[in-house]
Amino acid sequence: MSAFFDRLNGVSSPRIGLGCMNLSHGYGQYVPETEALRVLEEAFEMGYRHFDTATLYGGTANERLLGLALKTKRHQLFLASKCGMALDAETGKRIIDGRPDTVRRQCEESLSRLKTDYLDIYYLHRLDRSVPIEESVGALGRLVEEGKIGAVGLSEVSAETLRKGNAECPVAAVQSEYSLWTRNPDIALKDVCVELGAALVAFSPLGRGFLTGAVEESTQFSTGDMRAGMPRFSKDNLPHNIALLDGVKTIARRLEISPAQLALAWLHAQGEHIVPIPGSCSVTHIRENLRAATVVLDDATVTQLNGMLLPSQVAGARYNDTQQADVDTEEFAD
């Protein structure tokens, strides 16, 4: 298996990590810094060892937060960040830039904000279509040689892009949205990860809160909440999708676990190389998610879940047109 699992096992990490974006980015409302630091401290104390952040999140605020929270625990954990996508300081717009000089500069800046001299894995956050993937991955490979990063990762890329990047330098892990209601990695990426010995790190494994049952027809998304612009959460599509969740909730009740734990256990059943990184600002939910690492589903339950929330059943795309233009992942036909 890849250097990703070598390093993950080296800190005795459970097979569930903590996506830290929610604390600073994406959903409109964020907790004060003192509360966020408490959340991260409690996550570590309850057993999390894999913490995931990015230059983009909060316009670098998330990396600064983790630097404060985890600096005294650095050698006891697996630390991941991402480059190649950042917020413009003047306009607030996302800029995708995978040029080698940018990759190197952003890595140096990430190390400074995170108060460390190395990252266990560093991902290219998005494919820069104006830069050959071999050039971006080559820059990451040189950072591995220098000891600044332990392994190379890619995010939201297709199987073809993964193959090209891996031919330049071994890719240890790929991040992709993967959950009961987002099955895009099943098209090709999941199998190619197995072939190349790369981990598949599943972000938004709880469907941005949808699979927990917390999103209702009456839910009003706050200003800055990315879900407000996602077709699946629109007022036209959400009622249909919520009805699809009834079967999942029924199975969860039968097993006496939460829908969130069921969704995470389903992901684990899809392959030993899959590592979900759910995120939350709630210590209660973070603890609930971690307990899913011990849930093992029988084959009949996995088969039943495999037939639910299929791409042909879910109403609305996962991204709007603008968001979709930034990703390289395979898509199901309409």
Side-chain angles (χ1 to χ4, degrees), residues 134-150:
E134 293 87 350
E135 292 186 16
S136 299
V137 171
L140 290 169
R142 287 187 286 277
L143 292 171
V144 172
E145 293 170 358
E146 296 167 18
K148 293 178 178 177
I149 67 175

Side-chain angles (χ1 to χ4, degrees), residues 57-132:
Y57 301 158
T60 73
N62 199 244
E63 285 187 325
R64 296 180 194 278
L65 180 68
L66 265 68
L68 290 173
L70 304 174
K71 62 180 179 179
T72 61
K73 307 173 178 66
R74 178 65 189 95
H75 299 295
Q76 302 173 62
L77 54 85
F78 180 101
L79 188 57
S81 193
K82 309 177 196 72
C83 64
M85 185 160 65
L87 293 180
D88 183 273
E90 295 183 1
T91 66
K93 293 183 178 179
R94 295 192 305 177
I95 297 175
I96 295 175
D97 185 348
R99 292 174 296 176
D101 287 349
T102 300
V103 169
R104 174 171 290 277
R105 173 178 56 79
Q106 289 187 352
C107 180
E108 298 283 2
E109 293 169 350
S110 290
L111 292 172
S112 176
R113 288 189 289 266
L114 288 162
K115 302 184 185 301
T116 184
D117 57 2
Y118 73 99
L119 292 164
D120 292 284
I121 190 166
Y122 202 42
Y123 298 89
L124 183 71
H125 207 157
R126 291 289 187 273
L127 173 67
D128 182 346
R129 300 182 193 278
S130 68
V131 177

Side-chain angles (χ1 to χ4, degrees), residues 3 37 60 97 100 116 191 208 237 262 311:
L37 291 172
T60 73
D97 185 348
T116 184
D191 289 342
R208 306 183 192 278
N237 293 327
L262 181 63

Side-chain angles (χ1 to χ4, degrees), residues 292-309:
T294 63
V295 176
V296 178
L297 303 178
D298 60 56
D299 292 345
T301 300
V302 173
T303 299
Q304 188 177 4
L305 288 167
N306 286 347
M308 295 179 171
L309 291 165

